[in-house]
Amino acid sequence: MIQHSMIEANGARFHVAEIGEGQPLLLLHGWPEFWFTWEPVMTRLADRFRLIAPDLRGFGDSDKPAGPFAPQDHAADLLALLNKLAIEKIGVVGHDVGGAAMMPFARLAPERIAGLFFFNFIYPGLGARMGAPNSLKEIWYQSFNQMPMAPVLVGASRETCKAYFGYFLRHWTWRKEAFDDVLDIFVDNFLKPGNLEGGFAHYKGTHEGRIAIMKGESPKLPQIETPACVRWAEHDPVLPYAWTDRLSETFAHLDLAKFPDVGHFPHREDPDRAAEEITGFFRRIGWI
């Protein structure tokens, strides 16, 4: 059974869901998600790993930031959370916002991370393609989410909130029914006080970085040496598989493959395969 706790770290309180025994894995959600998005994978991996799924700051039942909150801010939270849990080393699995946070986390504390497993996420090599005309029609929400009117409009009623998040949870999926049975749970989550603004804080915190990526002006950082596995969805409309071609510029030891027959949310659309891919990678690097 999944256990829930509140943990104080880095000046904030974090909701953490946990299940299983074995080597620890940290599961980091994206937007528009919270810890619950990992539930199907957690139940499948509980006999192999200790699964730790926090709500990132701004999301779910964790504290909300006072303003914009960037991946490096999440990285500092994650390190503090590890310290509070007294975990010396951990495997990390992330998607979307969680994946973006994993890169500064890996640079902040490489000695604490056994391996990095990613589903689709934004990285510097995406480049100008993010701003191309056929991409702009997919990433409009990244600008909208920064506007003061965004939480007012999305949170005007349960119907507007459900329409907004229901759009992404169906449009970005290949298996359109993936969230149908839990959509109301996601709506309930984002209707909690502060959760719309908390999730939107990510887009405010990453705006300058996204513009730098589009201009090809991202800082040239050393490759991440920690073993990294990327399983990128075959049918992601917002982050196409073709955009994986420069991942080796960021990761020195990269295991890349296409995740077939899914859209932006492999962990929800095909949790059986997601669990096996995660297990396979951590077994190959000796973390199981």
Side-chain angles (χ1 to χ4, degrees):
M1 180 180 296
I2 294 176
Q3 303 294 318
H4 299 268
S5 60
M6 297 298 297
I7 297 174
E8 293 189 11
N10 202 27
R13 298 176 74 245
F14 295 89
H15 168 253
V16 176
E18 187 171 344
I19 191 174
E21 297 181 355
Q23 296 282 40
L25 289 187
L26 186 64
L27 306 178
L28 305 178
H29 63 80
W31 183 92
E33 300 172 282
F34 62 117
W35 81 267
F36 182 71
T37 197
W38 291 112
E39 189 269 345
V41 168
M42 294 174 76
T43 56
R44 286 162 171 81
L45 291 178
D47 61 340
R48 301 166 228 181
F49 299 100
R50 175 187 174 189
L51 290 313
I52 301 164
D55 286 328
L56 297 172
R57 193 188 300 227
F59 295 82
D61 292 326
S62 292
D63 281 351
K64 309 302 178 270
F69 212 73
Q72 60 267 27
D73 300 314
H74 287 301
D77 282 349
L78 295 171
L79 180 57
L81 192 60
L82 279 196
N83 291 337
K84 200 62 181 270
L85 291 168
I87 295 174
E88 286 301 314
K89 199 162 190 175
I90 199 164
V92 188
V93 180
H95 165 251
D96 193 78
V97 175
M102 285 164 64
M103 292 179 288
F105 186 31
R107 292 189 166 101
L108 177 65
E111 73 285 354
R112 306 291 293 275
I113 301 174
L116 302 162
F117 185 103
F118 296 84
F119 294 118
N120 311 28
F121 64 107
I122 290 178
Y123 76 101
L126 299 183
R129 294 174 289 194
M130 285 185 65
N134 61 341
S135 176
L136 286 177
K137 68 182 179 64
E138 295 291 347
I139 65 170
W140 59 270
Y141 68 95
Q142 296 179 6
S143 296
F144 173 77
N145 287 355
Q146 298 179 60
M147 297 181 179
M149 68 178 175
V152 177
L153 295 178
V154 175
S157 68
R158 184 175 186 84
E159 289 70 26
T160 56
C161 189
K162 188 170 185 176
Y164 191 67
F165 292 111
Y167 166 79
F168 296 108
L169 297 178
R170 286 188 65 83
H171 175 62
W172 286 350
T173 55
W174 182 251
R175 305 185 186 196
K176 297 300 183 185
E177 75 289 349
F179 289 92
D180 284 358
D181 61 339
V182 294
L183 178 56
D184 282 321
I185 296 175
F186 278 73
V187 174
D188 289 341
N189 167 73
F190 280 103
L191 284 174
K192 291 180 179 179
N195 278 9
L196 290 173
E197 295 92 333
F200 294 161
H202 165 75
Y203 293 95
K204 296 174 183 177
T206 56
H207 176 73
E208 290 184 5
R210 287 194 303 274
I211 297 302
I213 288 174
M214 293 179 192
K215 291 181 175 181
E217 297 174 354
S218 295
K220 302 300 181 184
L221 299 174
Q223 287 178 304
I224 293 170
E225 296 288 340
T226 306
C229 181
V230 178
R231 293 296 179 261
W232 203 283
E234 180 180 17
H235 301 292
D236 188 338
V238 69
L239 294 171
Y241 178 75
W243 292 4
T244 63
D245 56 345
R246 294 178 59 188
L247 280 167
S248 60
E249 297 173 12
T250 297
F251 302 101
H253 308 286
L254 176 66
D255 174 356
L256 169 65
K258 184 183 294 184
F259 195 123
D261 301 321
V262 295
H264 185 66
F265 305 98
H267 50 295
R268 294 292 311 192
E269 297 181 54
D270 191 350
D272 287 331
R273 179 160 186 159
E276 290 308 314
E277 292 283 2
I278 291 167
T279 300
F281 169 65
F282 286 105
R283 180 177 287 125
R284 290 192 294 276
I285 66 170
W287 196 244
I288 186 173

